[in-house]
Amino acid sequence: MMRAALAFLLVIGLTPLIQAQEISPRSPLYGWRCWIVGAPPKLRYEIEELIAAHDTAGIFNWLNDTSLVRQAYAAEAVIRIDKTGMDFPEWAT
């Protein structure tokens, strides 16, 4: 539960930074659907694959990425996986 709370705070704390850093129309988007075409952003597909595969190593790689958008997706993934009750590897705790 503590991991989920920390991940949530990370997402909330990063939101203004994401908006400030990722201002180009070609920058990756965070969200469920693009408001223009209605399709999920490319990174949404990628993180959903990592979550479905329970690829905690891949998710934690995203947490350490330089892109704040990837970090936000990874924090969301940690929260979602934690809610399922799945255990994280020792190196991730």
Side-chain angles (χ1 to χ4, degrees), residues 63-85:
L63 278 175
N64 294 317
D65 197 284
T66 57
S67 167
L68 294 175
V69 174
R70 281 185 182 256
Q71 291 175 11
Y73 276 115
E76 175 194 332
V78 169
I79 292 169
R80 290 174 52 194
I81 288 175
D82 192 49
K83 284 183 179 180
T84 66

Side-chain angles (χ1 to χ4, degrees), residues 32-54:
W32 287 92
R33 299 253 179 248
C34 170
W35 65 276
I36 298 172
V37 295
K42 179 183 175 213
L43 294 179
R44 170 62 59 193
Y45 284 116
E46 292 178 21
I47 198 67
E48 292 300 327
E49 288 177 3
L50 293 174
I51 293 169
H54 299 291

Side-chain angles (χ1 to χ4, degrees), residues 13-34:
L14 288 177
T15 301
L17 295 174
I18 291 170
Q19 293 169 348
Q21 179 193 31
E22 314 285 351
I23 56 174
S24 165
R26 295 182 184 181
S27 296
L29 300 173
Y30 177 79
W32 287 92
R33 299 253 179 248
C34 170

